[in-house]
Amino acid sequence: MDPSRLFEEFPAPSYRGAQEQALTDIQAAFAAGNDVVLVRAPTGSGKSLLARAVAGCAATPGTAAPEDPIGAYYTTPQVSQLDDVEGDALLSDLNIIRGKNNYNCILPGETDTPVNQAPCVRETDFDCQVKHRCPYFSDRAIAANRSIAAMTLAYFMQTAGSDVFGMRDVVVIDEAHGLGDWAEMYATIELSPQTVPPWTDVKPDEISDLEDALSYAEYLVTICTRGLDIIRGSPELTAEEVERRDKFTELRSELQWFIEDYRDPESPTTWVVDQPDGEGGSVIIKPMDPARYLKHTVWDRGRKFALLSATILNKDAFCANVGLDPSRVALVEVPHTFPVEQRPLYDVTQGKMTYEHRDETLPAMARTLVRLMQHHPDEKGLVHCHSYAIQAELETLLSEFGVDARIRSHSKDDRDAQLGTWKRSDDPELFLSVKMEEALDLEGPLCRWQLLCKAPYPNTRDSRVARRLEDGQWGWYYRTALRTVIQACGRVVRAPDDYGATYLGDSSLLDLFERARTDMPDWFKAQVDRMEEPTLPAFSPAEATSGVSGATKTTNTQYRSRRAERQSSPENHPLSDVWGE
């Protein structure tokens, strides 16, 4: 890597905000001999442009020895972030490759078949005469042979050890704050009817500890091997057999990794296991702080690394979580250049949103939302509901107030479609969202205000979270929640001339700010310090819908019926507001 090229590799014709100073600091950090540079850059600072500049400094065939790696990887955990890169003319030399399921076969009669189910996958020794024109293999060849290959973090990790995407000189990871969490998610092994093809015949006994999990994993490896031997004996496979084969292959690989790592006395990984429904039920085997997994899938893939995010809150804690030596890591702080007055925080807290307080707090919060709709009669709003249980209850309450004509929500199955419809709408709709605190660009009139409905603390019923808290890792607990809050705050202010208000509905958020203040970036502290209670109009549902055209979408009777169904459902657990998704 040659950091002296950083400025000439910056792709924009001019600098915006603090980009020039950021490049100077990044250059100095690499020149000082650091192998990893963390770039803490707020929303709207142009992280992707900084990332492109770093990637452009990678060694080239003319500057590197034959045995040395060349080129760069750009990767991000967010599919939407990769979509944004693909649509940015300044980043046109990032050659994007996606998974096979994102491409369709071009053979006659197969044009609606994803490449991961095409004849080359289904038939033994299939000789594709148009492989050179296959959209997947074409993109893969281009990405493999150009100086910057761009892909999702999932694809990047999955290609570890491949001959096509080997080690490169530089690896750039955008939105890297959740790298440890993403690695834990990718390394988690779910054993269920959806992942184990012959589930009915191999249901587990009670899994009470990791030794039980190990024995069951070894048994399943044998089952997978037998299943693969049978399938591979067929000269041609159906689409269902291809899917079954792929499940066997993936499951065996994951289980073998767990068995090897668990038995390795030098592995730093701690494993935990859950069987929520007891004997015969699904088993989830999870790693904590999977440093070894990241070493294989990320750290062995490059010589120099740049990790960019608005919310890498604590350098030492981040390094410990992802298996880095802090002595070889530098942190570059990029200031926020958007005026703090354009990104205000407002305290409209109505109480705690824990289960024991929710019946009292949520109706008050719904009334406050009506008043906020009156306060923003012609502007779109967003509610971060935290869970589908809270979303459903809030939707019902708002309907009973008679403002459902201005409300839109989504389910797990239609979230992208509903989000797209809401963004395209000319009406000032209020969108009740779940898990949209990240990777959502709502610049300008797409959204002018939002409400954080609940402090986003990690799920304490998750065995990894419980284990960390048992070990006293409360700092991690508060940082994780703060990170989500800061990410959420960045959804509505995306440019120097943009503006948007964030309202806080859960009083636990104020407590979070006190507990995690030492980990706040200075620019977010400035927002918190300016926080005040707004003056809102008196409660009037009629005024809240005055700017909406068209008729009510759903009747109050329908909503009350849905509410009754939820209250009688076995899923109405005392913690369903926190964990329900």
Side-chain angles (χ1 to χ4, degrees), residues 157 179-180 183 290-300 321-323:
M157 288 180 166
L179 182 58
R292 184 179 177 187
Y293 182 81
L294 281 170
K295 182 180 187 303
H296 169 64
T297 58
V298 176
W299 308 130
D300 287 347
N321 182 239
V322 299

Side-chain angles (χ1 to χ4, degrees), residues 344-365:
L345 293 178
Y346 291 109
D347 177 359
V348 294
T349 56
Q350 299 299 307
K352 293 184 177 181
M353 279 292 290
T354 51
Y355 182 79
E356 60 269 24
H357 297 100
R358 193 183 80 181
D359 285 347
E360 178 181 351
T361 303
L362 198 53
M365 194 176 299

Side-chain angles (χ1 to χ4, degrees), residues 214 256-271 292:
L214 178 66
Q256 287 173 332
W257 172 264
F258 161 63
I259 293 167
E260 178 186 349
D261 189 88
Y262 180 69
R263 285 177 168 167
D264 182 357
E266 297 183 1
S267 172
T269 307
T270 298
W271 293 86
R292 184 179 177 187

Side-chain angles (χ1 to χ4, degrees), residues 171-241:
V171 176
V172 178
I173 305 177
D174 208 348
E175 301 298 339
H177 51 272
L179 182 58
D181 297 335
W182 282 93
E184 288 182 354
M185 183 185 72
Y186 293 143
T188 291
I189 304 168
E190 179 183 345
L191 307 175
S192 69
Q194 290 72 41
T195 61
V196 181
W199 177 258
T200 302
D201 299 325
V202 297
K203 287 183 179 181
D205 296 331
E206 181 180 355
I207 304 295
S208 58
D209 55 31
L210 283 166
E211 287 298 323
D212 288 345
L214 178 66
S215 297
Y216 186 51
E218 292 173 329
Y219 167 63
L220 288 182
V221 167
T222 302
I223 296 298
C224 290
T225 301
R226 290 175 182 171
L228 286 169
D229 288 342
I230 294 171
I231 291 173
R232 287 169 178 167
S234 301
E236 184 174 350
L237 304 179
T238 65
E240 291 75 18
E241 288 171 327

Side-chain angles (χ1 to χ4, degrees), residues 462-489:
D462 184 301
S463 53
R464 283 176 295 205
V465 176
R467 178 66 175 268
R468 287 190 171 108
L469 296 184
E470 287 173 7
D471 293 340
Q473 297 182 37
W474 289 96
W476 165 86
Y477 185 69
Y478 294 122
R479 278 193 301 273
T480 301
L482 177 64
R483 188 178 72 197
T484 303
V485 170
I486 295 176
Q487 287 287 336
C489 289

Side-chain angles (χ1 to χ4, degrees), residues 161-464:
S162 75
D163 294 331
V164 177
F165 293 109
M167 186 180 191
R168 293 203 173 192
D169 186 39
V170 173
V171 176
V172 178
I173 305 177
D174 208 348
E175 301 298 339
H177 51 272
L179 182 58
D181 297 335
W182 282 93
E184 288 182 354
M185 183 185 72
Y186 293 143
T188 291
I189 304 168
E190 179 183 345
L191 307 175
S192 69
Q194 290 72 41
T195 61
V196 181
W199 177 258
T200 302
D201 299 325
V202 297
K203 287 183 179 181
D205 296 331
E206 181 180 355
I207 304 295
S208 58
D209 55 31
L210 283 166
E211 287 298 323
D212 288 345
L214 178 66
S215 297
Y216 186 51
E218 292 173 329
Y219 167 63
L220 288 182
V221 167
T222 302
I223 296 298
C224 290
T225 301
R226 290 175 182 171
L228 286 169
D229 288 342
I230 294 171
I231 291 173
R232 287 169 178 167
S234 301
E236 184 174 350
L237 304 179
T238 65
E240 291 75 18
E241 288 171 327
V242 169
E243 183 180 5
R244 188 178 179 89
R245 180 201 62 189
D246 291 346
K247 284 185 176 181
F248 273 134
T249 302
E250 182 178 1
L251 181 60
R252 184 173 67 170
S253 176
E254 290 177 344
L255 290 171
Q256 287 173 332
W257 172 264
F258 161 63
I259 293 167
E260 178 186 349
D261 189 88
Y262 180 69
R263 285 177 168 167
D264 182 357
E266 297 183 1
S267 172
T269 307
T270 298
W271 293 86
V272 294
V273 61
D274 291 328
Q275 191 180 32
D277 299 323
E279 181 177 352
S282 300
V283 176
I284 306 172
I285 305 172
K286 311 173 188 178
M288 292 177 57
D289 302 327
R292 184 179 177 187
Y293 182 81
L294 281 170
K295 182 180 187 303
H296 169 64
T297 58
V298 176
W299 308 130
D300 287 347
R301 308 286 298 280
R303 288 192 171 180
K304 298 290 184 179
F305 295 82
L307 278 58
L308 302 93
S309 171
T311 50
I312 297 177
L313 301 179
N314 182 296
K315 172 191 164 183
D316 289 343
F318 179 84
C319 290
N321 182 239
V322 299
L324 290 175
D325 178 359
S327 67
R328 54 185 279 262
V329 178
L331 175 64
V332 168
E333 181 83 49
V334 180
H336 210 316
T337 56
F338 298 178
V340 68
E341 296 82 6
Q342 293 173 202
R343 44 187 172 93
L345 293 178
Y346 291 109
D347 177 359
V348 294
T349 56
Q350 299 299 307
K352 293 184 177 181
M353 279 292 290
T354 51
Y355 182 79
E356 60 269 24
H357 297 100
R358 193 183 80 181
D359 285 347
E360 178 181 351
T361 303
L362 198 53
M365 194 176 299
R367 291 181 65 88
T368 299
L369 261 176
V370 173
R371 297 172 69 195
L372 288 171
M373 293 162 72
Q374 295 170 235
H375 191 55
H376 298 272
D378 302 315
E379 295 175 327
K380 291 184 180 181
L382 177 72
V383 179
H384 296 283
C385 295
H386 184 73
S387 74
Y388 284 102
I390 292 176
Q391 179 203 57
E393 189 71 14
L394 193 58
E395 187 175 12
T396 299
L397 290 166
L398 291 171
S399 175
E400 291 174 348
F401 290 145
V403 298
D404 43 296
R406 194 175 167 181
I407 303 300
R408 182 176 296 277
S409 65
H410 65 89
S411 67
K412 293 179 182 178
D413 297 328
D414 68 356
R415 66 184 274 134
D416 291 340
Q418 292 290 352
L419 175 63
T421 301
W422 173 68
K423 291 171 72 173
R424 291 189 298 271
S425 173
D426 293 328
D427 284 331
E429 292 183 331
L430 179 66
F431 191 55
L432 307 183
S433 73
V434 179
K435 307 299 182 188
M436 290 189 182
E437 295 91 351
E438 298 187 31
L440 183 60
D441 186 343
L442 299 176
E443 184 173 350
L446 286 176
C447 187
R448 289 299 187 194
W449 62 281
Q450 60 180 345
L451 173 76
L452 273 63
C453 197
K454 188 179 187 307
Y457 286 112
N459 182 350
T460 56
R461 285 176 56 193
D462 184 301
S463 53
R464 283 176 295 205

